[in-house]
Amino acid sequence: MTKHIFVTGGVVSSLGKGLTSASIGMLLEQRGLTIRLQKLDPYINVDPGTMSPYQHGEVYVLDDGSETDLDLGHYERFTNSVLDCNSNFTTGQIYLSVINKERRGEFLGQTVQVIPHITNEIKAALAKPAGENVDVVITEIGGTVGDIESQPFLEAIRQFSLDKGKENCLYIHLTLVPYLKAAAELKTKPTQHSVGLLRQIGIQPDVLICRTERSLSRDERAKIALFCNVHVESVIEEKDKDFSIYEVPLSLVENNLDELIVRKLSLAKAGPLNLDRWRDLLHRLRNPEHEITIAVVGKYAEHRDAYKSIYEALDHAGVHNRAQINIQRIHSETVERDGPERLLSAVDGILVPGGFGERGIEGKVDAVRFARQRGIPYFGICLGMQCAVVEFGRNVLGLERANSTEFDKDNPHPVICLLDEQKTITDKGGTMRLGTQPAKLAPGSRAAQAYGKEEISERHRHRYEFNNQYRQQYAAKGMQVVGSSPDGGLVEIVEIADHPWFVGVQFHPEFKSGPTRSHPLFAGFIAAAVQRRKSRDQGIGERG
Ligand code: GLN
């Protein structure tokens, strides 16, 4: 029978519930168990796909095309959990499903209510990732205990253990133990209050994970245990990690969290913990042989989470190439204002990520021109590829005003235009070309070399595409289509062969990169950037 772990959060938001849940998943997997991760989000949007990255950070896309919360990115990077449309539910999705049932008359004349109808729907969602071969489902409850919005979710996880048996469910509460400088001590009261709120609604947490900037003393742990009604060994410290998020699982192991979970849920199948690969990863992170700077030129540069998977994938490629990567987040509007020379001359590689809307586009196009003309390694992702096509059209092919019809509808040279299948779509949510699609690569291309094969599949999220009418013109001047959909109809990858490394992809490779398995294109991009840095250093050396 599948066991269930529920991870709730208290005191403040942004405590890292996603990372902690992913770390727990990773530890259980390294003990030989099969796990699934899932997130419940309390907001009313049906999915985060319609939310601005300013509101919600990156939208993380799964193989099946689900547009999900960025925490699912942590889940995939830390574990092998299968993730699909059953891995992320929002309040909006739950209500939509209940209301659709009501419209179909499925409630047979009953009054439809939060309890039991909404909570039943949530419980059904909680059970979906379970199955014969799944040992543990870890469900993270978004929001903070005490929020009005998350109450139905908390009520549902409370009821869940009545249905499935207390011995099959474990409640883990992540909380903050702040350090007060004036008093020179750690304060346990917020944790006591937060657990008090949980107990009021009938949930007694089994394990407390305490985020803290200083180590908890034995006395402090004993105090938390006493006031929160848990055993002292169930008070786990999770100290802030400045160096890398990949340190989190190791710090939880130091506090015996994996053993505690295995014991409390009687997971008899669990074997010994094997962290060799993880320790090797941290060793490589700590001992780089090169140092390079990569500029990420985007519209949401100031938002830490808007390009989360891109930043992570760059780090993974750094580990792969033994390079420490300093990421320079550059706002594309600053490039428009100050020009690329001042901002981009010293970098070793330029990446333009995905995006929507016209703001900042000209700055991205300028950044592409700079990379192309100066021979700086360039990686364009989705909108970043479209900008590369626009730039090449304008400045190499002389197609005046060339643009994407997303930004200029009546353009004389619509080098990027709407996909045929998109022309009649008016709804916004879940209507793009989404999820994993296969592509074939041109033999001998840089992309084919990087992947080491000619058939690939990658995740997508876009409405616009390369306009096929221009293919030959582009090829004649050196921008080749080296990847396309299997029938050849949709352009997936463009390259400039006569350049140290210039690749644009219509898909999102960042969603398939992991710390111990860097994505081949990111690895290739960073290898080229390391090469550039080396030759520049040598050049300076020779001149000096
Ligand atoms: N806005 C562009 C499109 O819809 C690019 C999308 C993206 O970068 N994800 O095609």
Side-chain angles (χ1 to χ4, degrees), residues 40-212:
L40 304 186
D41 275 308
Y43 51 76
I44 316 245
N45 302 60
V46 171
D47 60 45
T50 53
M51 272 189 257
S52 151
Y54 282 121
Q55 294 273 317
H56 195 262
E58 150 188 291
V59 174
Y60 190 81
V61 181
L62 304 182
D63 278 330
D64 69 358
S66 301
E67 297 175 278
T68 69
D69 183 82
L70 56 80
D71 276 329
L72 276 81
H74 291 312
Y75 300 171
E76 281 203 327
R77 289 186 282 269
F78 277 69
T79 74
N80 299 311
S81 169
V82 173
L83 297 179
D84 57 23
C85 59
N86 293 325
S87 312
N88 192 194
F89 288 91
T90 69
T91 294
Q93 220 169 315
I94 298 286
Y95 271 77
L96 188 65
S97 166
V98 170
I99 291 170
N100 284 337
K101 284 182 186 165
E102 185 274 334
R103 293 289 84 184
R104 290 196 298 266
E106 287 183 26
F107 294 115
L108 304 172
Q110 292 172 50
T111 307
V112 181
Q113 296 177 299
V114 173
I115 303 172
H117 300 98
I118 294 295
T119 44
N120 282 351
E121 191 72 25
I122 298 172
K123 285 193 282 180
L126 294 172
K128 276 189 178 143
E132 217 177 297
N133 301 319
V134 177
D135 299 308
V136 185
V137 176
I138 302 159
T139 302
E140 175 192 348
I141 314 294
T144 308
V145 168
D147 294 349
I148 291 177
E149 300 189 302
S150 49
Q151 278 189 4
F153 287 133
L154 297 174
E155 170 61 15
I157 64 169
R158 181 192 68 80
Q159 291 176 16
F160 199 82
S161 78
L162 293 181
D163 301 352
K164 302 279 172 186
K166 277 204 168 359
E167 66 289 3
N168 296 317
C169 297
L170 189 78
Y171 297 91
I172 298 184
H173 189 56
L174 184 66
T175 157
L176 178 71
V177 181
Y179 178 75
L180 268 200
K181 260 204 205 121
E185 55 182 41
L186 287 166
K187 289 293 178 190
T188 64
K189 193 72 82 187
T191 297
Q192 295 173 36
H193 282 305
S194 168
V195 172
L197 278 173
L198 267 180
R199 291 171 69 195
Q200 250 173 42
I201 54 173
I203 297 174
Q204 167 63 54
D206 300 293
V207 177
L208 296 177
I209 301 183
C210 303
R211 283 294 309 273
T212 167

Side-chain angles (χ1 to χ4, degrees), residues 53 56-59 70 303-309 311 329:
H56 195 262
E58 150 188 291
V59 174
L70 56 80
H303 195 300
R304 210 168 45 100
D305 286 342
Y307 305 119
K308 187 103 201 153
S309 295
Y311 298 144
R329 303 167 189 200

Side-chain angles (χ1 to χ4, degrees), residues 208-453:
L208 296 177
I209 301 183
C210 303
R211 283 294 309 273
T212 167
E213 54 179 287
R214 310 213 167 192
S215 280
L216 299 174
S217 66
R218 180 86 200 160
D219 283 352
E220 280 154 346
R221 286 178 62 191
K223 187 172 172 192
I224 293 172
L226 183 66
F227 280 92
C228 298
N229 196 31
V230 297
H231 198 277
V232 68
E233 66 166 10
S234 301
V235 180
I236 305 287
E237 165 189 306
E238 187 185 321
K239 234 168 112 184
D240 296 353
K241 293 285 173 219
D242 303 328
F243 175 65
S244 165
I245 55 171
Y246 299 113
E247 289 178 294
V248 173
L250 296 183
S251 91
L252 295 175
V253 169
E254 279 164 24
N255 284 273
N256 275 331
L257 180 63
D258 59 310
E259 193 50 39
L260 190 67
I261 294 173
V262 164
R263 203 155 24 85
K264 283 193 179 275
L265 281 175
S266 310
L267 293 163
K269 235 178 90 182
L273 187 63
N274 181 352
L275 288 177
D276 293 351
R277 236 167 26 120
W278 213 257
R279 288 193 205 284
D280 178 55
L281 161 72
L282 281 162
H283 176 77
R284 291 173 77 102
L285 265 172
R286 285 204 178 93
N287 298 285
E289 289 165 6
H290 318 282
E291 188 176 348
I292 56 167
T293 302
I294 299 292
V296 175
V297 182
K299 188 163 70 165
Y300 308 108
E302 66 278 29
H303 195 300
R304 210 168 45 100
D305 286 342
Y307 305 119
K308 187 103 201 153
S309 295
I310 301 253
Y311 298 144
E312 290 300 316
L314 285 171
D315 279 347
H316 305 157
V319 170
H320 183 90
N321 286 288
R322 306 219 67 145
Q324 180 186 321
I325 301 184
N326 304 317
I327 297 177
Q328 239 175 54
R329 303 167 189 200
I330 297 182
H331 206 293
S332 48
E333 284 172 308
T334 328
V335 182
E336 280 168 27
R337 203 185 54 219
D338 299 350
E341 183 78 45
R342 198 172 76 77
L343 295 162
L344 299 171
S345 291
V347 305
D348 305 302
I350 297 176
L351 186 152
V352 175
F356 297 83
E358 198 184 353
R359 188 164 63 84
I361 282 297
E362 293 305 321
K364 293 179 191 176
V365 173
D366 280 352
V368 177
R369 182 174 51 77
F370 196 74
R372 183 178 57 77
Q373 291 177 337
R374 298 288 175 99
I376 303 172
Y378 176 76
F379 196 8
I381 293 181
C382 207
L383 183 62
M385 170 206 137
Q386 298 175 355
C387 288
V389 171
V390 166
E391 191 280 324
F392 200 86
R394 288 182 192 172
N395 301 325
V396 180
L397 304 184
L399 305 173
E400 218 178 304
R401 273 180 56 208
N403 213 336
S404 161
T405 54
E406 182 178 0
F407 315 123
D408 186 357
K409 288 227 163 12
D410 309 310
N411 192 277
H413 296 294
V415 291
I416 302 291
C417 60
L418 210 52
L419 286 161
D420 273 345
E421 71 209 37
Q422 287 288 331
K423 290 191 174 139
T424 51
I425 294 176
T426 50
D427 275 7
K428 286 280 180 271
T431 56
M432 283 184 250
R433 178 172 181 242
L434 285 167
T436 291
Q437 313 279 348
K440 58 176 201 291
L441 307 180
S445 59
R446 217 180 278 288
Q449 278 166 17
Y451 280 98
K453 56 185 178 184

